[in-house]
Amino acid sequence: YKAGDVVMSQGEKWDYFYVIQAGRARVERTVKEKKLLLAELKPGDNFGQDALVCDAPRNATVTMTSNGTLMRLSEPDFQSLLVTPVIESINEDELNELLTQPEPKVYILDVRTLSEVAEDKIPGSLNVPLLLLRKNLSKLKEDAIYLVACDGGSRSKLGTYQLREKGFTAYVLKRK
């Protein structure tokens, strides 16, 4: 890629997971016609996983800021190599067993929107909408277990993936 090339655009259907081998890029999201800089990426950084895990359109635009080389994985390869081996689930019976143990502390993170939580709060959960999870990682305790919940499963998978990618112990909480 050359400086100025758009690798992926917000709203597009997903295609690949990318890793920057050489070069730099910026990640921007447009909200109400205003561009917000989300991240500046360097060699070793990756992007594109959100849409692949959630089966949703791209939530940001990635533009190269210098010439560079990217490695990429297709959705099936991404799922089989990086998601399936990494994301584990816990059911409510296993949750109840975890909650009886004094250590490590267990937190339920509800990654649904505020309006969804207002209609159906998960008892004892902390609400961190998925779009804000990465921004709030520094507020989480590294020695805790996080159970990530939503209503359909795709957002909790992505939240769990994001937490595990940053070294947290996290599982998808399967709700009845």
Side-chain angles (χ1 to χ4, degrees):
Y1 288 86
K2 298 200 181 311
D5 285 351
V6 174
V7 179
M8 62 184 212
S9 296
Q10 182 175 335
E12 288 181 336
K13 184 172 175 7
W14 45 265
D15 55 358
Y16 295 100
F17 165 78
Y18 296 88
V19 178
I20 298 180
Q21 187 174 16
R24 295 186 174 271
R26 71 176 174 272
V27 181
E28 297 174 309
R29 179 177 297 136
T30 302
V31 178
K32 296 182 182 175
E33 299 183 25
K34 182 179 180 184
K35 279 189 179 182
L36 304 171
L37 178 64
L38 301 179
E40 293 182 350
L41 305 176
K42 63 189 180 321
D45 289 340
N46 61 69
F47 59 93
Q49 64 271 29
D50 294 13
L52 295 178
V53 173
C54 282
D55 191 23
R58 297 290 188 187
N59 61 15
T61 297
V62 177
T63 307
M64 297 299 294
T65 56
S66 71
N67 293 344
T69 304
L70 304 179
M71 297 180 291
R72 68 184 191 181
L73 282 175
S74 67
E75 190 272 338
D77 289 339
F78 174 78
Q79 291 293 336
S80 68
L81 294 171
L82 296 178
V83 175
T84 302
V86 171
I87 296 179
E88 298 178 52
S89 298
I90 287 181
N91 63 37
E92 289 186 4
D93 292 335
E94 293 167 314
L95 165 64
N96 292 332
E97 186 177 320
L98 272 177
L99 292 175
T100 63
Q101 300 173 10
E103 295 293 327
K105 181 79 172 139
V106 176
Y107 296 94
I108 299 171
L109 293 181
D110 188 338
V111 294
R112 297 176 298 160
T113 64
L114 292 172
S115 60
E116 289 173 303
V117 170
E119 292 177 20
D120 175 34
K121 175 136 174 66
I122 299 170
S125 67
L126 304 170
N127 178 233
V128 182
L130 184 60
L131 287 175
L132 300 176
L133 183 58
R134 277 196 180 106
K135 192 175 193 175
N136 288 289
L137 290 176
S138 64
K139 297 176 183 175
L140 301 180
K141 297 179 182 189
E142 292 179 11
D143 59 346
I145 295 174
Y146 293 95
L147 306 178
V148 185
C150 68
D151 51 7
S154 60
R155 288 179 286 178
S156 55
K157 274 186 183 178
L158 179 55
T160 300
Y161 184 87
Q162 289 175 1
L163 289 167
R164 292 182 71 103
E165 185 178 48
K166 295 300 181 185
F168 292 95
T169 302
Y171 303 91
V172 171
L173 176 59
K174 288 188 174 182
R175 297 176 64 203
K176 293 179 185 172

